[in-house]
Amino acid sequence: MEKFIDNLPAMDLMRSEKMTFVQLIIPVESAHRAISYLGELGLLQFRDLNADKSPFQRTFVNQVKRCVEMSRKLRFFRDQISKAGLLSSVHPVLQPDIDLEELEIQLAEHEHELIELNSNSDRIQHSYNELLEYKMVLQKAIGFLVSSNSHAVLEERELDENIYSNDHYGDEVSLLEQDIRPGPSDQSGLRFVSGIICKSKALRFERMLFRATRGNMLFNHAPADELMMDPLSTEMVEKTVFVVFFSGMQAKTKILKICEAFGANCYPVPEDITKQRQITREVSSRLAELETTLDAGIRHRNKALASIGFHRAKWMNMVRREKAVYDTLNMLNFDVTKKCLVGEGWCPIFAKPKIQEALQRATFDSNSQVGVIFHVMDAIDSPPTYFRTNRFTSAFQEIVDAYGVARYQEANPAVYTVITFPFLFAVMFGDWGHGICLLLGALVLIARESKLSAQKLGSFMEMLFGGRYVLLLMSLFSIYCGLIYNEFFSVPFHIFGGSAYKCRDTACSEVYTIGLIKYRDPYPFGVDPSWRGSRSELPFLNSLKMKMSILLGVVQMNLGILLSYFNARFFSSSLDIRYQFVPQMIFLNSLFGYLSLLVVIKWCTGSQADLYHVMIYMFLSPTDDLGENQLFWGQRPLQIILLLLALIAVPWMLFPKPFILKKLHTERFQGRAYGMLGTSEMDLEVEPDSARQRHEEFNFSEVFVHQMIHSIEFVLGAVSNTASYLRLWALSLAHSELSTVFYEKVLLLAWGYDSFIIRLIGLSVFAFATAFILLMMETLSAFLHALRLHWVEYQNKFYHGDGYKFKPFSFASITEDED
Amino acid sequence: MYGFEAMTFNIHGGYLEAIVRGHRSGLLTAADYNNLCQCETLDDIKMHLSATEYGPYLQNEPSPLHTTTIVEKCTLKLVDEYKHMLCQATEPLSTFLEYITYGHMIDNVVLIVTGTLHERDVQELLEKCHPLGMFDSIATLAVAQNMRELYRLVLVDTPLAPYFSECITSEDLDDMNIEIMRNTLYKAYLEDFYRFCQKLGGATAEIMSDLLAFEADRRAVNITINSIGTELTRDDRRKLYSSFGLLYPYGHEELAVCEDIDQVRGCMEKYPPYQSIFSKLSYGETQMLDKAFYEEEVKRLCLAFEQQFHYGVFFAYMRLREQEIRNLMWISECVAQNQKSRVHDSVVFIF
C-alpha cells in the first residue's frame, strides 16, 4: 500500500512548486540589465533587504524620482489628449527603442511645447472671450439704453444732459478711465455701468448692489445669447448682461469694487448710435480674426497631441518598467566593496536554469567582466506558495485562494475542486434546460476569449469572464444532473424510453387518488417521468435527494480526511496519522459511513426500514431488538461495535497527541542540556528544521487546549457538517419548485387563454423570470452554497491555508495594474 | 436620550462615522513624521507623502515644489473629504459640520478686512483664505469701510450674522478694532456652538463640551497674554472671554487682572488639567505655550475617537487633520530653508 502510494505519478497541482531561497551578487554595471531580464522572465520574488530605510534613503531614489516625473508628464499628455477629445490610437509603433535619457529629453520637450501652446491658446482664448463678452454687452445694453433714454427724455431733463455729457467722454476710453476725469455733471447726474456676469451669481450680485447703494440704483439684465467658455474649467457657462444705473461718485467706486469682487467684467458702452455701430463692427471683425487664429492654434496643438498620443502607450509602458526595475534595485543591498549589489529572493527550483541563463545573457550584453553569482541559501521563513496554473485551472485555484493561500507544499484542494465544485453546484441546479442556457453563455465567453481578454471589462463581466471555465463545467454538470432529475425547465421528457408505470384502466381516472401500477422494467436513466405531478412526487424526490446529499457529503468529507493523511505522510508526521487521521476516519465512518451503508442497502433491497429509527435507537438503546427495521443479518452487533469504536475514537484523538508532544519536547530538552556529548550528532540530524531555529517555549496547556478545540470541532462538526450537506437537497428542491411555479402558473396559465397578447405577456414574464431569477439569482445562490460546502465542510478537514502567495517580479503583472 | 444613541445613531450617522474613522486611520503616524523629518528636499517629502493618502493629490505636481503647493494640496484633500461628508450628512449632523467651518470663516473675514485696510490686492488675499471658511460674497468684504457696513453689506447673509450683534459700531476699522471683532465673534461662535452641542445632548454634548471648553480656555489665556501691555481695559478683556469652560467664571476674574505672564501662570496652575501644561514651561516663557496647548488638544481630540455614536469624531478629525497640515507646513518650511535642527520645535505628533 505504502509502495503503491509512493509510486503514484506526481500531480503538478497537488503540491505547490518546490521553492528555493537564492542569493544574487550582481556587479553594479550589469545590475540594471540583469534585473530587467529577470523582470521579463518573471520567476523571482525579491526580498526587500532595505525595509528599515525610508523610500528616499535608498540607492536609486533619483532614478525612481525621474521615472515618477516622467509618468507625471505622460499623465499630463493623457489629460491633454482626452481634453482635446482625441482618441489615443493604439497603432503598432514602428519607432525603434529609445533609451530612458532620450525619452526624458523628448518628454521634456513635448511638455514644454505643449505648455507654450496652451498658454498661447489660453491668451487668445482670453481675449476672444473678452471680445465676445463685449459684443454681448453691446448688443444687450444698447437695448436698455435706448429704452431708458426715451424714458428719460419724457420725464427728466437733467438726465438728458447727463447722457449727453456721457457721450462726450465715453467713446474709446473705458469707464474706469472716464471716472478719473472730473466732469461737472458727474457728481450729481445719473450714470451707468454695463458689464457681464455669470448667471449663477447674478441674483446675489443684484442684491449686493441694492444693499451697497441703499436701493438707489436701477438694475437691468438680460441673458446673453451664447454660452461662454470658462477658461479655468473649460466648461460652457451661461452669462447675463447687466446695466446698472446709479448716481454719485461714491456709489460708483462701490459698484466697481463689487463688480470686481463678483468677477463681473465691465465694458463701456457709448451712447451715440453711430459710435455703437462702429464699435460693434470693429469688435465683430476682430472676433472673426481671433477665431481663425484660435482655430489654427487648436489645429496645431491637436497635431502635436496626436503625435504624442501615437507613442504614449509605449512610453508609459517603458517608464513603468523602468520604475519597477529601479524599485527592485532599491530592494538590493550594496556589499562591502560597493561594487556589487546583493539580492535575495525566492524562486521555484525548475526556474533556476532559466534565471541563470538570463543572468548570463545580462552579463554578456552589458560587457561586464564579472559574472553574476547566483547561489542557493538556507532560509528561515517558510517559502511562498506557487501553483503553476493554466487558464482552465486558475479560476478553481482562485476559489481556493479566496479562502486562504495554501501552506507551502500542502495538499491543494483545487485539484479536486475542479470536479467537485461544479458537481455540487449542479446537484443544486439540476435542470438541463437551464444547464443548456448556462452552457451557451459559457461557450460564448470561451469562443470570444482572445477578444475579451484583451479589452477592459466591467467588474461584473470581469468576474464572469474569469470564471468562464467554472461556468462551463457547472453547466455541463447541471445538464447531467438535470437528466437524472429529468427536468427541462421543470418539464419531464421521455428521452430514455417509456415510463415504467401505467394507468390501472383505460380511463386513467385514479391517477391522482390511488396511483399507477408498474408494468415493466424501471426507467433506464434518471427519474421516471411519470412521477411528475403525482401525489407522491415530493416525498419520493425528497427522500431521494436527501439520501443522495448525505452520501455525497460523507464521500467528500472522507476525501478531506484522506487528504489530511496524504499531508501527514508528505510532511512525515506519523503522529498526525496515528492520533488524528485514524480516529477521525473511524469516528466519521462508524456513524455516518454506517448511515450511508444503510442507505445503499435500502436502495438495493427495497426494504421499508425506517433509517431515522435505526440511527436514533442506535444511540438510545443499542441493545434493543431492531424488529422490522432490520436490514441485514448481524446488524445489531455491528451497531454496538461501531458505537463503541466511535466512543473510543473521541479520547483517542483528544489525549495522546499533546502528551506525546510533551514527552518528545522534554526528551529533546534533556538531550540538549545533559546528553550533548553522547547524542548531539544524532539529535541534530533528527530534529526538524523549524525546531532548530525557533526555540519556542513548549506550552503544554496551550497545546492541549488547541487539541481539545480541534477534537470537539471535529466531533460536533461530523454531525453538523453532514447535516449541512442537506443544503444540496434543499436548494435543489427550491430550484425545481420555483421553475415549476414559473412554468405552470405563468406560461401554462397564459397559454390557456386564446389571446395573442396574453400569451405574449405570459411568455415574456416567463422568459424574464427564467433569466433573472432562475439563471442569475439561483446560479448565484447555488454557487455560494457550493462554495461554502467546499470552504467549510470539506477544507476544514485538512486545509491550513496559512501560506502566502509567490509574487515574482514581473513586467507582465506591472502593466496590468494602473490605468 | 443619553445612553441610547446606540439604538438609533447608525440610521443616519453610521455611514459617516465609518467614513470619518476610515479617514482618521489615514492620518500620518509617528513613523511617518520620523521619516519626513529626515527628508533632505521637498521632493523627498513629496515622495514620502505619495505613499500616504496624500499621494493622489500630489502626484501631478511638477517637480520644483513649493511649500505652499504642498500645503495647498493637503488642504484640498481635507476640503474634499469635508465636502463629501457634508453632502452625505443629514440634520443635525450637517449643521454640526457647518459649525466646524465657522471658525475659519471668522478668520477669513478678519484676514480680508485687515488686508484691505493695508491696501493689499483682494485676489491675493483670497488665495490666502482657508478654503473651508469661504462664503459666496467674501470678496465684497473689501468694499466695507466700517463695522456697520461690513455687517449690512456682506455678513448679514452669512451664518456669522448673529454673532455680530455685539460688535456693530460705526467706528472706522483699525487693527485693534479688528482684533477685538475677531475675538468677540469667536466668543459668540464658541458659545453658540456650545449651546448647539448641548441641545444635541448625549455623548456628543459630553465630548464636545469638553473639547469646546478647552478651546475657550485656550483662547482666554491667549487673549490675556496678547493683551498684556496694550490699551485694552480689564473690563473689555473680560468681555472677550467665552462664558463657559473650566475657567468660567472665577478663572476669568483672575485672568482679567493679570499684568504679566507669571500671573497668568499662577492663575492657571490652580486648575489641574492646565497645571501639567504650564509645569512644562520655564518661568516667563511663552514661546512653547502654543505647542504645549496643541499637544494637549491633540491628546483630547484623539480621546474623542474612543467613544462611539457621537458627532465629536467629526470635529476631532477635522482638527487633527488641520494639525497635521500645520505639521507638514512646518516640516516643509524647515526643509526648504535648511533649518532642519528646528524641525521638532513645533511638530505635534498625533499618534
Side-chain angles (χ1 to χ4, degrees):
Chain A
M1 175 69 187
E2 300 266 304
K3 267 259 171 62
F4 171 73
I5 291 170
D6 284 337
N7 290 336
L8 283 176
M11 279 189 279
D12 265 349
L13 207 53
M14 183 69 174
R15 308 271 169 206
S16 63
E17 291 296 330
K18 281 210 177 71
M19 307 299 275
T20 174
F21 193 69
V22 294
Q23 194 181 38
L24 298 164
I25 302 174
I26 317 172
V28 174
E29 64 267 23
S30 59
H32 181 269
R33 205 177 287 265
I35 298 294
S36 49
Y37 285 172
L38 287 178
E40 270 159 32
L41 193 63
L43 281 169
L44 186 63
Q45 174 178 2
F46 283 95
R47 215 171 63 154
D48 193 354
L49 299 176
N50 299 324
D52 51 330
K53 286 188 190 165
S54 54
F56 50 85
Q57 287 169 328
R58 300 186 177 204
T59 325
F60 295 95
V61 61
N62 282 325
Q63 282 87 336
V64 172
K65 267 189 211 162
R66 273 167 56 197
C67 292
V68 170
E69 180 67 16
M70 278 192 271
S71 50
R72 185 193 64 76
K73 280 175 188 154
L74 286 166
R75 274 199 304 274
F76 170 71
F77 296 152
R78 186 190 61 199
D79 291 348
Q80 289 293 321
I81 289 172
S82 65
K83 224 184 206 175
L86 298 173
L87 289 171
S88 55
S89 47
V90 206
H91 294 296
V93 184
L94 299 168
Q95 197 200 21
D97 282 345
I98 45 171
D99 65 353
L100 207 62
E101 277 72 25
E102 258 177 73
L103 180 62
E104 196 172 7
I105 296 164
Q106 274 198 19
L107 288 183
E109 274 172 13
H110 283 306
E111 195 195 18
H112 187 74
E113 188 193 352
L114 261 186
I115 287 175
E116 202 161 294
L117 283 174
N118 276 349
S119 72
N120 274 342
S121 71
D122 276 356
R123 218 170 39 234
I124 298 171
Q125 181 78 43
H126 187 74
S127 39
Y128 178 79
N129 270 358
E130 255 177 17
L131 279 175
L132 195 63
E133 282 178 359
Y134 194 12
K135 194 177 147 196
M136 302 281 169
V137 173
L138 280 173
Q139 276 174 2
K140 298 288 169 186
I142 286 166
F144 295 132
L145 289 180
V146 168
S147 65
S148 71
N149 216 341
S150 52
H151 221 69
V153 169
L154 285 174
E155 302 206 340
E156 244 177 86
R157 259 272 144 75
E158 202 187 348
L159 192 65
D160 229 2
E161 281 167 29
N162 173 51
I163 289 166
Y164 184 73
S165 72
N166 249 344
D167 283 351
H168 185 64
Y169 300 113
D171 33 16
E172 289 296 330
V173 284
S174 82
L175 275 167
L176 276 166
E177 286 169 73
Q178 258 183 60
D179 210 41
I180 299 161
R181 297 187 225 169
S185 57
D186 270 1
Q187 268 94 26
S188 57
L190 193 64
R191 317 186 35 177
F192 70 91
V193 168
S194 55
I196 194 161
I197 191 171
C198 275
K199 198 183 175 191
S200 53
K201 288 185 192 166
L203 201 66
R204 260 183 289 124
F205 179 60
E206 185 181 353
R207 194 162 58 210
M208 187 59 66
L209 285 175
F210 185 85
R211 266 190 219 141
T213 56
R214 300 174 185 250
N216 295 325
M217 59 107 203
L218 184 67
F219 187 84
N220 272 322
H221 66 96
D225 295 332
E226 287 174 50
L227 292 177
M228 220 76 67
M229 174 126 78
D230 184 14
L232 284 179
S233 60
T234 69
E235 274 171 19
M236 304 305 271
V237 284
E238 271 184 85
K239 294 220 169 183
T240 304
V241 175
F242 64 84
V243 178
V244 191
F245 297 94
F246 58 90
S247 67
M249 272 298 286
Q250 278 261 309
K252 169 140 201 163
T253 32
K254 268 188 192 167
I255 287 173
L256 284 176
K257 262 189 178 172
I258 291 171
C259 285
E260 195 188 351
F262 273 86
N265 297 326
C266 299
Y267 297 96
V269 178
E271 312 264 331
D272 185 14
I273 297 199
T274 48
K275 279 267 162 53
Q276 281 172 3
R277 287 210 183 116
Q278 189 192 337
I279 290 178
T280 316
R281 254 199 318 279
E282 253 172 55
V283 167
S284 304
S285 70
R286 278 188 60 198
L287 260 180
E289 246 170 66
L290 271 180
E291 203 156 354
T292 45
T293 347
L294 204 59
D295 279 351
I298 286 173
R299 231 176 296 133
H300 185 62
R301 203 179 62 146
N302 282 358
K303 221 157 71 190
L305 280 177
S307 77
I308 292 171
F310 203 60
H311 301 300
R312 204 192 65 86
K314 189 193 163 178
W315 288 343
M316 196 76 205
N317 203 359
M318 187 169 153
V319 170
R320 246 182 238 153
R321 276 168 174 240
E322 285 297 319
K323 182 165 182 288
V325 168
Y326 285 118
D327 277 340
T328 313
L329 280 172
N330 272 336
M331 290 185 184
L332 310 185
N333 242 340
F334 268 112
D335 75 336
V336 198
T337 60
K338 291 267 175 192
K339 279 179 185 156
C340 294
L341 285 164
V342 181
E344 289 175 6
W346 291 103
C347 76
I349 284 182
F350 74 85
K352 259 164 57 179
K354 282 188 200 166
I355 291 173
Q356 246 149 359
E357 192 265 332
L359 292 174
Q360 262 162 18
R361 204 149 40 90
T363 317
F364 182 75
D365 287 353
S366 51
N367 291 323
S368 172
Q369 304 283 319
V370 201
V372 180
I373 300 168
F374 175 77
H375 62 95
V376 177
M377 294 218 309
D378 282 342
I380 300 166
D381 24 330
S382 94
T385 310
Y386 174 44
F387 291 108
R388 272 197 284 179
T389 53
N390 51 27
R391 58 185 175 188
F392 181 77
T393 47
S394 65
F396 294 98
Q397 188 67 52
E398 285 296 315
I399 289 176
V400 172
D401 284 352
Y403 174 80
V405 177
R407 189 181 275 189
Y408 177 61
Q409 294 259 294
E410 186 183 21
N412 180 13
V415 179
Y416 303 97
T417 305
V418 173
I419 295 302
T420 54
F421 184 83
F423 179 66
L424 287 192
F425 168 86
V427 170
M428 293 178 266
F429 196 77
D431 188 315
W432 58 281
H434 297 147
I436 285 171
C437 294
L438 278 191
L439 180 66
L440 289 178
L443 285 178
V444 166
L445 283 178
I446 291 168
R448 302 177 59 194
E449 193 172 43
S450 53
K451 204 175 145 199
L452 284 175
S453 59
Q455 71 195 68
K456 232 177 135 45
L457 306 162
S459 64
F460 180 73
M461 266 308 277
E462 185 90 57
M463 218 160 58
L464 210 61
F465 180 68
R468 60 200 181 277
Y469 289 105
V470 184
L471 204 62
L472 176 76
L473 283 193
M474 289 191 320
S475 60
L476 289 178
F477 276 108
S478 43
I479 292 173
Y480 169 70
C481 283
L483 288 174
I484 291 181
Y485 296 159
N486 205 347
E487 283 188 24
F488 176 85
F489 295 108
S490 83
V491 186
F493 274 78
H494 294 77
I495 306 174
F496 303 102
S499 168
Y501 301 93
K502 69 168 186 182
C503 298
R504 282 162 199 277
D505 49 33
T506 45
C508 233
S509 55
E510 291 154 332
V511 176
Y512 298 108
T513 48
I514 301 167
L516 305 164
I517 49 164
K518 190 173 174 181
Y519 75 106
R520 62 173 174 191
D521 285 343
Y523 192 67
F525 183 84
V527 175
D528 194 309
S530 296
W531 283 107
R532 171 81 196 173
S534 69
R535 218 158 47 114
S536 51
E537 181 199 6
L538 271 187
F540 170 72
L541 283 178
N542 281 350
S543 121
L544 171 79
K545 287 177 178 173
M546 251 194 265
K547 283 171 185 157
M548 196 178 65
S549 309
I550 298 286
L551 284 182
L552 291 174
V554 170
V555 168
Q556 201 184 20
M557 285 192 289
N558 269 317
L559 175 66
I561 301 174
L562 262 179
L563 282 174
S564 83
Y565 166 74
F566 284 111
N567 264 344
R569 259 182 68 82
F570 187 84
F571 295 112
S572 53
S573 130
S574 57
L575 207 64
D576 279 342
I577 297 179
R578 263 179 262 151
Y579 304 109
Q580 202 128 317
F581 164 70
V582 175
Q584 283 185 355
M585 212 58 184
I586 290 174
F587 184 81
L588 183 72
N589 285 313
S590 60
L591 301 182
F592 296 101
Y594 175 62
L595 174 63
S596 313
L597 182 76
L598 291 183
V599 168
V600 174
I601 291 176
K602 193 178 163 183
W603 275 347
C604 293
T605 57
S607 145
Q608 302 257 315
D610 184 1
L611 294 187
Y612 294 119
H613 192 271
V614 175
M615 283 311 285
I616 289 167
Y617 282 91
M618 178 176 161
F619 293 102
L620 291 184
S621 48
T623 49
D624 276 9
D625 195 33
L626 284 162
E628 59 179 4
N629 286 327
Q630 177 140 3
L631 279 158
F632 55 89
W633 180 84
Q635 194 179 359
R636 197 166 52 134
L638 179 71
Q639 281 187 3
I640 294 171
I641 292 169
L642 286 176
L643 196 62
L644 284 177
L645 277 176
L647 284 179
I648 294 166
V650 178
W652 187 356
M653 67 179 106
L654 175 59
F655 293 113
K657 197 182 161 190
F659 283 104
I660 290 171
L661 277 176
K662 190 186 179 196
K663 197 165 141 251
L664 279 178
H665 181 79
T666 43
E667 267 172 17
R668 187 182 298 149
F669 186 71
Q670 277 173 346
R672 183 69 51 75
Y674 305 109
M676 212 56 167
L677 282 174
T679 59
S680 64
E681 216 171 296
M682 233 182 73
D683 215 34
L684 283 175
E685 305 261 302
V686 171
E687 267 177 37
D689 243 19
S690 57
R692 204 173 349 143
Q693 259 117 21
R694 295 179 205 144
H695 298 284
E696 277 170 19
E697 200 53 37
F698 183 81
N699 192 341
F700 178 73
S701 60
E702 200 173 292
V703 172
F704 189 78
V705 167
H706 186 80
Q707 185 68 21
M708 199 158 76
I709 291 171
H710 198 80
S711 310
I712 290 173
E713 197 185 299
F714 182 83
V715 170
L716 296 183
V719 183
S720 66
N721 290 353
T722 311
S724 184
Y725 275 95
L726 287 175
R727 73 184 67 232
L728 291 175
W729 153 67
L731 265 103
S732 163
L733 174 73
H735 183 83
S736 82
E737 287 303 306
L738 259 180
S739 45
T740 311
V741 166
F742 288 131
Y743 177 71
E744 278 178 2
K745 300 294 169 204
V746 178
L747 195 64
L748 288 190
L749 195 73
W751 232 246
Y753 293 94
D754 201 18
S755 151
F756 176 70
I757 295 169
I758 292 179
R759 283 184 179 189
L760 195 71
I761 291 172
L763 191 67
S764 55
V765 168
F766 174 73
F768 272 105
T770 305
F772 288 104
I773 297 178
L774 292 175
L775 285 177
M776 280 173 67
M777 303 298 288
E778 278 282 294
T779 308
L780 212 60
S781 81
F783 185 93
L784 285 179
H785 283 281
L787 203 62
R788 185 221 141 95
L789 286 179
H790 278 83
W791 281 354
V792 181
E793 274 75 28
Y794 167 54
Q795 290 183 7
N796 76 359
K797 300 285 184 290
F798 67 100
Y799 191 57
H800 293 284
D802 53 358
Y804 64 102
K805 240 183 181 162
F806 177 57
K807 286 200 193 84
F809 165 62
S810 144
F811 288 148
S813 61
I814 294 163
T815 35
E816 275 167 21
D817 51 333
E818 286 189 62
D819 241 18
Chain B
M1 195 166 32
Y2 185 69
F4 289 90
E5 297 100 340
M7 286 169 72
T8 53
F9 182 88
N10 279 349
I11 299 172
H12 293 300
Y15 171 66
L16 280 175
E17 192 182 354
I19 291 268
V20 84
R21 280 176 189 274
H23 284 325
R24 172 198 170 268
S25 58
L27 289 170
L28 299 180
T29 58
D32 286 320
Y33 283 118
N34 280 336
N35 279 331
L36 283 171
C37 292
Q38 290 166 10
C39 288
E40 295 291 337
T41 63
L42 289 182
D43 274 342
D44 289 345
I45 290 184
K46 176 188 165 187
M47 191 159 175
H48 187 86
L49 287 181
S50 65
T52 64
E53 289 198 348
Y54 291 115
Y57 287 85
L58 283 169
Q59 68 171 0
N60 282 342
E61 287 311 304
S63 207
L65 277 174
H66 296 288
T67 319
T68 42
T69 332
I70 294 181
V71 174
E72 197 181 298
K73 292 292 161 185
C74 295
T75 315
L76 183 66
K77 175 179 150 52
L78 174 65
V79 174
D80 283 352
E81 284 167 0
Y82 173 78
K83 282 185 179 155
H84 177 240
M85 291 196 288
L86 189 63
C87 286
Q88 303 284 337
T90 50
E91 279 297 328
L93 179 55
S94 53
T95 313
F96 182 87
L97 285 175
E98 277 164 5
Y99 263 107
I100 295 176
T101 64
Y102 293 169
H104 292 295
M105 243 181 236
I106 295 171
D107 286 342
N108 284 352
V109 168
V110 172
L111 179 76
I112 299 262
V113 173
T114 332
T116 341
L117 205 64
H118 295 268
E119 288 172 358
R120 297 278 206 77
D121 183 35
V122 181
Q123 280 308 319
E124 191 187 316
L125 289 171
L126 282 178
E127 276 165 26
K128 282 189 189 158
C129 284
H130 197 287
L132 278 182
M134 286 300 218
F135 47 93
D136 290 329
S137 42
I138 188 163
T140 335
L141 284 172
V143 181
Q145 298 295 323
N146 57 34
M147 298 268 194
R148 191 178 293 280
E149 261 190 343
L150 203 64
Y151 174 71
R152 205 171 50 78
L153 278 183
V154 189
L155 295 175
V156 69
D157 273 344
T158 66
L160 298 183
Y163 307 151
F164 237 85
S165 54
E166 276 185 46
C167 52
I168 298 176
T169 53
S170 300
E171 282 176 62
D172 275 354
L173 293 165
D174 60 38
D175 282 342
M176 179 82 170
N177 272 340
I178 293 172
E179 207 46 45
I180 290 175
M181 176 186 89
R182 181 215 292 273
N183 286 309
T184 324
L185 282 178
Y186 224 98
K187 167 194 153 119
Y189 156 61
L190 282 179
E191 283 170 0
D192 189 31
F193 198 4
Y194 184 78
R195 271 195 303 277
F196 176 71
C197 292
Q198 293 301 323
K199 207 173 77 195
L200 287 178
T204 307
E206 185 194 11
I207 284 162
M208 282 309 292
S209 64
D210 181 44
L211 292 175
L212 289 175
F214 179 76
E215 178 78 20
D217 291 346
R218 182 173 67 176
R219 290 197 75 86
V221 173
N222 280 338
I223 289 168
T224 315
I225 292 175
N226 289 336
S227 65
I228 290 171
T230 60
E231 55 206 44
L232 199 69
T233 61
R234 289 175 179 179
D235 281 343
D236 283 345
R237 193 194 283 177
R238 192 181 303 139
K239 269 188 208 154
L240 297 178
Y241 298 151
S242 309
S243 60
F244 65 97
L246 201 59
L247 299 177
Y248 177 78
Y250 303 112
H252 288 168
E253 298 293 332
E254 284 187 59
L255 278 180
V257 297
C258 285
E259 291 300 338
D260 61 42
I261 176 75
D262 287 333
Q263 284 181 14
V264 176
R265 187 191 178 111
C267 135
M268 291 301 285
E269 277 181 344
K270 289 174 192 157
Y271 295 89
Y274 302 118
Q275 206 175 12
S276 61
I277 294 178
F278 278 86
S279 64
K280 281 185 214 154
L281 309 172
S282 53
Y283 275 91
E285 189 186 358
T286 53
Q287 300 292 320
M288 297 299 283
L289 185 62
D290 272 343
K291 193 190 175 191
F293 267 125
Y294 278 137
E295 273 172 358
E296 177 69 17
E297 188 191 8
V298 162
K299 211 160 71 191
R300 286 168 184 242
L301 292 172
C302 286
L303 284 178
F305 283 94
E306 301 297 313
Q307 205 169 332
Q308 226 188 324
F309 309 126
H310 65 95
Y311 293 156
V313 285
F314 296 96
F315 180 79
Y317 171 70
M318 297 296 286
R319 281 299 168 92
L320 285 175
R321 201 45 116 175
E322 279 162 27
Q323 178 62 43
E324 184 175 291
I325 292 169
R326 271 198 296 273
N327 288 343
L328 283 176
M329 179 156 74
W330 178 260
I331 293 174
S332 324
E333 280 296 347
C334 286
V335 168
Q337 296 174 9
N338 268 327
Q339 297 273 324
K340 282 184 66 184
S341 51
R342 294 191 56 203
V343 113
H344 285 281
D345 283 3
S346 117
V347 172
V348 181
F349 290 156
I350 293 177
F351 297 114

Coordinates of all heavy atoms in Angstrom, one line a residue, chain A residues 367 512 543 606 629 766 774 807:
Chain A
N367 N 28.6 43.7 -21.3 CA 30.1 43.6 -21.4 C 30.8 43.6 -20.0 O 31.8 44.3 -19.8 CB 30.6 44.7 -22.2 CG 30.3 44.5 -23.7 OD1 30.2 43.4 -24.2 ND2 29.9 45.6 -24.4
Y512 N -54.6 10.3 -9.7 CA -54.2 11.2 -8.5 C -54.8 10.7 -7.2 O -54.6 11.3 -6.2 CB -54.7 12.6 -8.8 CG -54.0 13.2 -10.0 CD1 -54.7 13.4 -11.2 CD2 -52.6 13.5 -10.0 CE1 -54.1 13.9 -12.3 CE2 -52.0 14.0 -11.1 CZ -52.7 14.2 -12.3 OH -52.1 14.7 -13.4
S543 N -36.9 12.2 -0.5 CA -36.2 11.2 0.1 C -35.0 10.8 -0.8 O -33.8 10.6 -0.3 CB -37.1 10.0 0.3 OG -36.6 8.8 -0.3
G606 N -34.7 -2.5 -1.4 CA -36.0 -2.0 -1.5 C -36.7 -2.2 -0.1 O -37.9 -2.3 -0.1
N629 N -37.1 -3.1 11.4 CA -36.2 -2.2 10.8 C -34.8 -2.9 10.5 O -33.9 -2.3 10.0 CB -35.9 -1.0 11.7 CG -37.1 -0.1 11.7 OD1 -37.7 0.0 10.7 ND2 -37.3 0.5 12.8
F766 N -42.4 34.8 -18.3 CA -41.7 33.5 -18.1 C -40.2 33.6 -18.4 O -39.3 33.2 -17.7 CB -42.4 32.4 -18.9 CG -41.6 31.1 -18.8 CD1 -41.7 30.3 -17.7 CD2 -40.9 30.7 -19.9 CE1 -41.0 29.1 -17.7 CE2 -40.2 29.5 -19.9 CZ -40.3 28.7 -18.8
L774 N -34.1 32.5 -12.1 CA -33.6 31.1 -12.1 C -32.1 31.1 -12.6 O -31.3 30.5 -12.0 CB -34.4 30.2 -13.0 CG -35.8 30.0 -12.4 CD1 -36.7 29.2 -13.4 CD2 -35.7 29.3 -11.1
K807 N 4.9 36.0 -5.3 CA 4.7 37.2 -6.2 C 6.0 37.6 -6.9 O 6.8 38.4 -6.4 CB 4.2 38.4 -5.4 CG 2.8 38.3 -4.9 CD 2.2 39.6 -4.5 CE 1.0 39.5 -3.8 NZ 1.2 39.3 -2.3

